[in-house]
Amino acid sequence: MKNLTVVITVLLPLLFSCNDPGLLEEKGKLDLKEVSGLEYIPNSGLWALEDSGNDNKLYTIDEKGNILKTYTVANAKNNDWEDLASDAKGNLYIGDFGNNDNKRRDLAIYKLNAGKYDSIAAKVEFYYPGQKAFPPKKSEMLYDAEAFFEHNGTFYIFTKNRSKGFDGSFAMYSVPNAEGRHEAKLMASLKSCGNYNKCAITAADISPDGKTAVLLSGDKIWLMPGFGDGNYELQPVELGFITQKEGLAFKDADVLFVADEKDKHAGGRLYETKLSILKAKI
């Protein structure tokens, strides 16, 4: 989101070059300035969207970051689109649940049927049962989210803690992939680190075999290798530099795409890494 303070120094290129080769391989410069979500669909390619303040559009991009095609989603408003997900049938889902001020009562996930990516086929609404005030106290700003994926008929949503005195705490909720309004179910209370710019969660995806979940933050990828067995332990992998990283997507069982938003001095790039490389760093 736009209020993230990006830590940049003139040593960033040197820092990146000193990083472990292959950890994040830059693929190209993104045509889009504010990519907030990525998703890869076999036979359809790499998808991207932008968040609040941008149009109700989806984009297919190539693996260098160039726009291939633009889709205007006619019957949906971009309140604050934050992430993309897909299911085994190739249906695409937009997470319209960005909630910086913790005021929203209209959190939703939009379904776009496979091959019909210019209109909403269904709307899944949800709410957090623990939220009683809109907004809550500044010490209880726990109801923003920028990350989710779909797995076996369920959405898994990871919150972004915006509380005063950030301590890295966040939550994983589940919501059924079914039209209607649902109470989000708390699945796990998790903790990253106490530095907001480095550790606030901004994207998520799950491996095609459903075993490993991955989360993204400003300078880390977080692995949950036991996700398929109900083990939600987090394993961080340092990426070595901070940018406003907000896009994360599996291409296949090993390859991952990462994208960051463009700042005056950095970002706006598409990267590639491998799950096998990340696991070797644990």
Side-chain angles (χ1 to χ4, degrees), residues 10-145:
V10 294
L11 295 177
L12 180 59
L14 178 61
L15 179 62
F16 185 79
S17 65
C18 293
N19 215 19
D20 189 354
L23 194 58
L24 274 190
E25 176 189 354
E26 184 176 319
K27 303 298 289 183
K29 183 179 179 181
L30 288 159
D31 282 345
L32 298 165
K33 181 180 178 181
E34 296 183 334
V35 170
S36 62
L38 291 177
E39 182 67 4
Y40 187 88
I41 302 177
N43 302 317
S44 180
L46 185 59
W47 290 77
L49 54 68
E50 297 182 296
D51 54 18
S52 62
N54 293 286
D55 294 330
N56 54 326
K57 297 181 184 296
L58 298 175
Y59 307 88
T60 53
I61 61 177
D62 66 20
E63 295 184 17
K64 298 293 184 181
N66 304 302
I67 294 174
L68 298 176
K69 189 171 182 179
T70 300
Y71 296 79
T72 298
V73 186
N75 55 339
K77 178 183 178 181
N78 186 345
N79 294 299
D80 197 353
W81 295 0
E82 286 293 356
D83 204 359
L84 284 167
S86 64
D87 61 24
K89 296 179 180 179
N91 300 312
L92 189 63
Y93 300 91
I94 298 170
D96 186 4
F97 42 52
N99 191 19
N100 287 12
D101 298 325
N102 283 222
K103 292 180 179 179
R104 290 185 62 182
R105 298 174 185 262
D106 59 349
L107 306 174
I109 296 167
Y110 303 124
K111 178 182 180 180
L112 293 82
N113 287 336
K116 299 180 180 179
Y117 301 119
D118 57 358
S119 64
I120 302 302
K123 183 178 181 180
V124 180
E125 299 176 274
F126 69 94
Y127 63 94
Y128 301 109
Q131 183 170 11
K132 306 302 181 183
F134 298 81
K137 298 177 182 178
K138 291 183 178 180
S139 60
E140 299 174 358
M141 301 280 279
L142 303 170
Y143 304 105
D144 185 22

Side-chain angles (χ1 to χ4, degrees), residues 140-267:
E140 299 174 358
M141 301 280 279
L142 303 170
Y143 304 105
D144 185 22
E146 297 187 6
F148 84 132
F149 55 76
E150 201 273 357
H151 179 57
N152 290 342
T154 298
F155 297 112
Y156 294 90
I157 301 167
F158 300 84
T159 60
K160 187 174 186 181
N161 185 343
R162 291 186 176 274
S163 299
K164 183 179 180 180
F166 177 84
D167 66 354
S169 298
F170 67 102
M172 179 177 73
Y173 289 90
S174 67
V175 172
N177 184 355
E179 194 164 13
R181 181 170 172 79
H182 307 278
E183 176 181 301
K185 179 182 178 182
L186 180 63
M187 299 296 293
S189 296
L190 304 166
K191 197 164 188 177
S192 54
C193 82
N195 185 311
Y196 180 87
N197 289 344
K198 292 183 177 182
C199 294
I201 302 302
T202 57
D205 204 2
I206 189 167
S207 58
D209 63 9
K211 294 181 179 180
T212 303
V214 290
L215 310 180
L216 183 67
S217 62
D219 76 340
K220 298 175 182 65
I221 288 178
W222 305 80
L223 305 184
M224 299 174 73
F227 183 88
D229 296 322
N231 179 1
Y232 306 134
E233 178 187 359
L234 289 169
Q235 298 179 347
V237 180
E238 299 276 352
L239 300 177
F241 67 103
I242 304 175
T243 54
Q244 197 168 336
K245 299 177 183 71
E246 296 206 359
L248 179 69
F250 274 98
K251 178 183 178 181
D252 54 36
D254 197 28
V255 176
L256 280 157
F257 291 112
V258 175
D260 51 15
E261 292 195 6
K262 183 175 177 56
D263 179 77
K264 291 181 180 179
H265 305 290

